[in-house]
Amino acid sequence: MDAQTVASVKQMFGERATDDLFERGFYERDLAPVPDFLVKPVAKTLPDIVVRPKTTEEVASIVTLAAAKQLPVTTRAGGSTVYFNTVCTRQGILVDINGMDNILAIDQASKTVRVEAGLTWWRLERALNRVGLAACSYPSSAQAATVGGWLVMMGYGLGSLPYGPVAEQVLAAQVVLPDGSVRQLSQTSEPPVAWLAASEGTLGIVTEVELKVRSQPESEWHGLAEFQNAEQMQDFIEQAAALANKPFNLHFSDPGCNSLRQRLGMADQRAALAYTVAFDADGTKAQTAAARLDYERCLHQADGGDLGEEEAGHEWQHRFFSLVLKREGPSLLGAELWLPIKKLADYLAEVAVFETRKQLGLKSYGHIVAPGHAMVMTMFNADERDTIGYLQGLALVKKLHDIGARHGGQPYGIGLWNTPYVKRCQPPAELAALKKRKQLLDPNNIMNPGKRYEPPLLLQPALFGLGMDLLAATTMVYQGRRGNKS
């Protein structure tokens, strides 16, 4: 970006625009601790300038300027993913919308709320609870994830099993399109608000969202089931996901995950040896009483055991802290997958075989987010300070994605780092349709370029796959602090 444009933006926004190298450096990554030697050949992640707008009009002025000069624009809010969804790939302007976090209106009668896109789900839920309402669903990263950010991701999490993805709860959204115009999108507008779902910031900047919400539950009940094997666990999950009165949340963990949780003081010794499923229900007292009976019936039919309400309540209280698992090592690597429930046991069995070969201390957990699908995370300890070992670890992540693909899975979220798998995520016709949307709304490709649709040269599937497979076949140099040896 030329110096004159930088100066112009700084004049427009004063202290809310910065080109200070130190401050810009905080925006070069998200939760992924990827070493620079891997990032720099692929993307230019240091923005030329960071702007922190307060209003939709200010966002529009930024985008209008960028459109006139054909400058890349990247939007960032919580930055709570690991795919560089909110990290620049071609420098340009980074728009930090965390300051746009107001609740604009709550309508208790119609059970709707209108908020600015930078509001976190944690703050929204607390505000709704104070007036007797609650969000229909929220992400496990609710304390950091924002309403707008989750909309433009896939938007599945806690509550998605009974209420669907967040895109189905959005009534309308205000968005600044790549030409700088401001549009109110609804379910019937042209384009519809549904286009924003999973667009990952490539079609515009969401500034306001209107959501359906629900009455605050009168009662809640939590159960925690244990199973000797993955087949029993899958049987229980399939039954529970098919219930007419669906639980608010179904969360599962394998023995690798549970043993680590036990070492960290988050689970008892009995749970550490088992496959577990947390069954969390809410609603009226009659509904939660019925849910408890449903749980007991599903548990009996799957030949499982019950770990008790105290342990179940303890796990519910930790629902936002899955990444506390990284306490055992400097960092984590892993694959997050969208996987058919009917293939869950087969996937975990192949992961166990992979673990026997590689001895990584693999651990898997996930949420049931639709009647037929789970969101699964399989992880292992890593250390980005160990250059060669970390690179080999990334190659092993690719092998986990391959295991998932063999069982009908695909990456959950794409951003930059999952672009080598983009053709796994949609059938060719669907991917072509997404590219047409991008061309229609952003013909100059200024909005979050380098993400979602096409991999850069070094991440092209053939080249990437060959390199990662060769690395994965080598003897591991970095052994890490494996969970089973700590």
Side-chain angles (χ1 to χ4, degrees):
M1 180 186 294
D2 63 82
Q4 183 178 358
T5 303
V6 170
S8 176
V9 174
K10 291 176 70 175
Q11 185 176 16
M12 291 167 62
F13 290 92
E15 293 182 352
R16 291 185 288 116
T18 180
D19 62 342
D20 179 80
L21 179 61
F22 178 74
E23 291 190 59
R24 287 182 290 143
F26 289 103
Y27 294 87
E28 283 196 277
R29 53 167 284 189
D30 50 19
L31 290 183
V34 185
D36 281 350
F37 83 95
L38 293 174
V39 176
K40 298 307 181 186
V42 175
K44 296 179 179 179
T45 58
L46 182 69
D48 292 304
I49 191 166
V50 175
V51 184
R52 304 180 183 97
K54 289 286 189 180
T55 66
T56 298
E57 291 71 25
E58 288 187 339
V59 174
S61 70
I62 300 167
V63 177
T64 299
L65 181 149
K69 295 181 175 291
Q70 296 193 19
L71 298 171
V73 178
T74 303
T75 314
R76 187 181 181 103
S80 57
T81 73
V82 296
Y83 312 123
F84 276 33
N85 310 74
T86 59
V87 176
C88 301
T89 59
R90 301 175 191 174
Q91 298 182 290
I93 302 172
L94 191 139
V95 181
D96 181 341
I97 66 164
N98 282 290
M100 299 177 64
D101 60 352
N102 293 304
I103 297 174
L104 303 174
I106 297 177
D107 190 325
Q108 293 173 263
S110 65
K111 295 189 178 70
T112 61
V113 60
R114 190 169 185 90
V115 303
E116 291 184 318
L119 181 73
T120 66
W121 286 93
W122 176 258
R123 282 189 55 211
L124 174 60
E125 180 69 1
R126 294 174 71 185
L128 290 172
N129 289 171
R130 286 194 287 270
V131 295
L133 298 172
C136 295
S137 64
Y138 47 76
S140 59
S141 56
Q143 292 176 309
T146 63
V147 174
W150 203 39
L151 167 61
V152 299
M153 290 298 293
M154 288 184 71
Y156 287 87
L158 287 80
S160 294
L161 180 59
Y163 296 106
V166 71
E168 295 180 6
Q169 299 151 34
V170 172
L171 299 172
Q174 186 177 76
V175 58
V176 178
L177 294 177
D179 62 1
S181 63
V182 179
R183 293 284 304 277
Q184 294 284 344
L185 304 186
S186 68
Q187 294 177 352
T188 58
S189 64
E190 191 63 43
V193 70
W195 277 24
L196 299 175
S199 65
E200 302 191 9
T202 62
L203 299 182
I205 300 178
V206 179
T207 59
E208 295 180 12
V209 180
E210 184 179 4
L211 288 165
K212 292 185 292 186
V213 293
R214 59 183 179 135
S215 297
Q216 187 174 11
E218 174 189 9
S219 173
E220 61 182 48
W221 181 82
H222 309 286
L224 186 60
E226 64 167 340
F227 304 95
Q228 295 180 354
N229 56 60
E231 289 78 11
Q232 291 175 322
M233 180 181 75
Q234 178 180 311
D235 185 16
F236 175 84
I237 288 172
E238 288 182 315
Q239 293 182 61
L243 290 169
N245 182 27
K246 291 179 172 34
F248 181 75
N249 181 49
L250 285 174
H251 175 272
F252 64 89
S253 303
D254 75 348
C257 184
N258 285 327
S259 62
L260 175 54
R261 293 178 66 249
Q262 188 271 328
R263 292 195 297 278
L264 296 174
M266 297 174 62
D268 66 17
Q269 186 61 46
R270 182 176 164 190
L273 304 174
Y275 292 86
T276 61
V277 180
F279 183 108
D280 304 302
D282 63 19
T284 65
K285 291 181 179 179
Q287 287 173 325
T288 54
R292 181 172 185 169
L293 294 176
D294 286 337
Y295 167 83
E296 292 172 349
R297 184 174 64 256
C298 294
L299 191 64
H300 175 73
Q301 292 176 351
D303 197 23
D306 179 51
L307 289 168
E309 292 184 29
E310 182 177 353
E311 189 71 11
H314 181 70
E315 180 149 331
W316 173 251
Q317 293 300 318
H318 285 87
R319 65 193 181 280
F320 298 128
F321 306 113
S322 297
L323 288 182
V324 75
L325 300 178
K326 72 179 293 184
R327 284 182 181 175
E328 196 172 52
S331 187
L332 291 168
L333 282 172
E336 190 171 14
L337 299 164
W338 173 264
L339 191 76
I341 296 173
K342 64 182 180 180
K343 293 292 187 178
L344 179 57
D346 291 339
Y347 167 78
L348 292 174
E350 189 168 349
V351 166
V353 172
F354 187 62
E355 165 66 13
T356 299
R357 296 202 327 264
K358 293 296 185 180
Q359 293 292 298
L360 296 168
L362 292 170
K363 34 204 169 270
S364 298
Y365 70 86
H367 293 273
I368 308 305
V369 292
H373 284 87
M375 196 166 61
V376 185
M377 173 70 84
T378 298
M379 305 173 295
F380 56 93
N381 292 344
D383 186 347
E384 65 270 23
R385 298 168 299 182
D386 177 4
T387 301
I388 297 175
Y390 194 85
L391 185 59
Q392 291 176 318
L394 290 174
L396 295 173
V397 170
K398 191 263 182 186
K399 303 305 287 185
L400 292 173
H401 276 291
D402 291 345
I403 292 172
R406 286 194 286 274
H407 298 285
Q410 63 187 54
Y412 180 86
I414 297 173
L416 172 66
W417 297 120
N418 278 339
T419 51
Y421 315 114
V422 68
K423 291 184 179 178
R424 293 179 180 178
C425 297
Q426 293 98 13
E430 185 177 326
L431 182 57
L434 293 178
K435 291 180 179 180
K436 285 183 179 179
R437 294 178 188 176
K438 174 69 170 173
Q439 178 62 28
L440 176 66
L441 296 182
D442 188 16
N444 294 318
N445 191 28
I446 67 164
M447 194 62 63
N448 207 9
K451 317 289 177 57
R452 183 68 181 86
Y453 305 99
E454 294 285 351
L457 177 62
L458 293 179
L459 296 182
Q460 288 293 324
L463 180 60
F464 173 82
L466 177 62
M468 292 296 102
D469 287 345
L470 287 173
L471 275 169
T474 62
T475 301
M476 286 294 292
V477 174
Y478 169 64
Q479 298 299 311
R481 292 181 57 202
R482 296 178 188 155
N484 59 347
K485 292 188 177 181
S486 297

